[in-house]
Amino acid sequence: MARAVMRPFLTDETSLRADAQRNRERILAAAEEVFLERGAGASLEDVAKRAGVGIGTLYRRFATREELLAATYSARFLALAESSRARDADIGPLDGLRAYLEELVRHTSVYRGLAATLGTVMQVGTPGCVATSEEGARLLRRAQEAGVIRPDISFNDLICVAVAISLAIEQDSSPQTRIAHLVGVFIDGMAVH
Amino acid sequence: MARAVMRPFLTDETSLRADAQRNRERILAAAEEVFLERGAGASLEDVAKRAGVGIGTLYRRFATREELLAATYSARFLALAESSRARDADIGPLDGLRAYLEELVRHTSVYRGLAATLGTVMQVGTPGCVATSEEGARLLRRAQEAGVIRPDISFNDLICVAVAISLAIEQDSSPQTRIAHLVGVFIDGMAVH
DNA sequence: TACGATATGGAGGCATCCTCCGTTTGGCAA
DNA sequence: TTGCCAAACGGAGGATGCCTCCATATCGTA
């Protein structure tokens, strides 16, 4: 139940001292590995250890677990927004939203335990989070303007849907087909009939 | 990420020694209070302390947090199943399902943090969990036989929906109206068009 | 080269989990 | 009633993880 922490997110170009920048990257690489192996709740001291860095260094750079998760995800989320934008011309508004949701769920299911914190993670404000949020909002607006999605659906509803499906995927182990099935159900629910 | 633990659930009539039975009830009462105050992640040692019982006693009776949560919820869930059955005659299959889901979400939102573990909790097998599961499955079957809910919807989908909505409720603080809104969306998605 | 701002690391305090085992107690059989 | 023992008790203690703090080290600039 971590509170959402809004603070300026430091990207690569920010004036970090060379050693700090190097350590930041080591921490991210280690976090990626450790989260993959043991889920989003893994020990941060393990991450620091694998990065060859003191725990204090990790905490100075990433004040909360959510910040670290979000940073680890930033590249992935950037790619998601990118690929969604890329297929925009070739796909209708409803299917665009469907594809976006399916991809979001797939990304969210990479680390066991990430789903439950997705809402918080999305608020941390990394470039990837921002890009993914904006893309989702854009797709939703587009579909609503095209008259295929109900006007009373909010972006929060989308995130909530993604969280739900990811959680479901985590619990039973019936992966890919179930993602499409559940996304289909929700898209139908949001559609104008 | 606790694994679901299937073990025979000890109800009141089971041959527990008198002192054990007394302590079990004290623990449940204390857990109810503590979880209400501090959410489903509260310290179990606090629960034991408030119950006036050693921590070992708590663990012997409830091997996991999920078991304790489920037991605490058992009465609530029993009531839920009961009231759902009671209104069965007065309500159509679709609205019956809707009412059930709304009530399930409301129950699940009582303790902050319960939603994320609802799936696990539902598998623990307390009388309440069983009753609620069976009632949900029955409503779903009824609605599908009436031809108003798609045949490819499973009971797991329902739980997933309840989890999603509860999580959404926990995050923003826009309670009652949002429950109805989201349940409506999902019901529409599951409906036959 | 020297100096101050920046960064480092890990010890340590605290919270929680969960197990283990010596002690106590309830309930039954004699 | 008494005595016995299976059942239950409690809490110390080992293990893990979180996060802070500060003496020390390092970078980059003047």
Side-chain angles (χ1 to χ4, degrees):
Chain A
M1 295 305 98
R3 284 270 142 257
V5 177
M6 283 295 200
R7 69 162 206 176
F9 185 76
L10 299 178
T11 51
D12 302 7
E13 69 270 4
T14 313
S15 55
L16 273 184
R17 232 171 63 175
D19 50 347
Q21 180 62 33
R22 185 170 13 94
N23 282 336
R24 184 176 188 279
E25 271 148 27
R26 281 193 196 156
I27 292 170
L28 282 177
E32 176 85 23
E33 287 179 25
V34 172
F35 287 150
L36 270 175
E37 284 172 19
R38 317 200 220 207
S43 156
L44 296 187
E45 311 210 300
D46 280 358
V47 172
K49 207 166 292 168
R50 182 155 335 182
V53 139
I55 185 66
T57 299
L58 186 150
Y59 272 102
R60 191 169 330 94
R61 210 51 67 205
F62 304 98
T64 65
R65 178 182 298 274
E66 279 73 31
E67 250 180 70
L68 180 54
L69 280 171
T72 307
Y73 252 63
S74 191
R76 261 188 238 279
F77 274 145
L78 273 178
L80 190 158
E82 181 73 26
S83 80
S84 172
R85 257 182 262 110
R87 72 175 154 251
D88 203 60
D90 313 326
I91 201 170
L94 203 59
D95 284 334
L97 201 57
R98 184 194 314 274
Y100 170 88
L101 269 183
E102 286 187 15
E103 211 170 334
L104 184 55
V105 170
R106 238 175 287 120
H107 281 258
T108 307
S109 307
V110 171
Y111 304 149
R112 191 168 28 92
L114 180 64
T117 56
L118 179 64
T120 314
V121 167
M122 285 293 269
Q123 287 174 19
V124 175
T126 68
C129 290
V130 171
T132 293
S133 296
E134 281 174 358
E135 174 61 9
R138 189 187 68 79
L139 285 175
L140 178 61
R141 212 178 316 117
R142 178 178 171 231
Q144 285 173 327
E145 280 165 5
V148 295
I149 288 286
R150 294 160 41 168
D152 61 341
I153 301 296
S154 69
F155 177 63
N156 262 349
D157 294 342
L158 290 193
I159 296 298
C160 154
V161 162
V163 167
I165 302 180
S166 301
L167 284 173
I169 301 301
E170 270 176 20
Q171 288 188 2
D172 9 333
S173 35
S174 50
Q176 300 303 330
T177 57
R178 192 159 161 78
I179 294 181
H181 167 64
L182 286 169
V183 168
V185 168
F186 292 127
I187 288 281
D188 276 8
M190 298 187 289
V192 171
H193 295 293
Chain B
M1 293 307 97
R3 285 269 142 257
V5 177
M6 282 295 197
R7 69 163 208 175
F9 184 78
L10 299 178
T11 51
D12 301 6
E13 69 270 5
T14 315
S15 54
L16 273 185
R17 231 170 64 175
D19 50 349
Q21 180 62 35
R22 186 174 6 97
N23 282 336
R24 183 176 189 280
E25 271 149 26
R26 280 192 196 157
I27 292 170
L28 282 176
E32 175 85 24
E33 287 179 25
V34 172
F35 287 150
L36 271 176
E37 284 172 20
R38 317 200 223 213
S43 157
L44 296 186
E45 311 211 300
D46 279 0
V47 172
K49 206 166 294 169
R50 184 156 331 184
V53 140
I55 185 65
T57 299
L58 186 150
Y59 273 100
R60 190 168 332 93
R61 210 49 67 204
F62 304 98
T64 65
R65 178 181 299 274
E66 279 73 30
E67 249 180 69
L68 180 54
L69 281 171
T72 307
Y73 251 64
S74 192
R76 262 189 239 278
F77 275 145
L78 272 178
L80 190 159
E82 180 72 27
S83 80
S84 172
R85 256 183 264 110
R87 70 175 155 252
D88 201 60
D90 312 327
I91 202 168
L94 203 59
D95 284 334
L97 201 56
R98 185 195 312 275
Y100 170 87
L101 270 183
E102 286 188 15
E103 210 169 338
L104 184 55
V105 170
R106 237 173 288 121
H107 281 258
T108 307
S109 306
V110 170
Y111 304 149
R112 190 167 27 92
L114 179 64
T117 56
L118 179 64
T120 313
V121 167
M122 286 293 269
Q123 286 174 20
V124 176
T126 67
C129 290
V130 171
T132 293
S133 296
E134 280 174 0
E135 174 62 9
R138 189 187 66 78
L139 284 175
L140 178 61
R141 210 178 318 117
R142 178 178 171 230
Q144 285 172 326
E145 280 165 5
V148 295
I149 287 286
R150 295 160 41 169
D152 62 340
I153 301 297
S154 69
F155 176 65
N156 263 348
D157 294 342
L158 290 193
I159 297 298
C160 157
V161 163
V163 167
I165 302 179
S166 301
L167 283 173
I169 301 301
E170 269 178 21
Q171 288 187 2
D172 5 334
S173 36
S174 49
Q176 299 305 328
T177 57
R178 193 159 161 77
I179 294 181
H181 166 65
L182 286 169
V183 168
V185 169
F186 294 127
I187 289 281
D188 274 9
M190 297 186 290
V192 171
H193 295 294

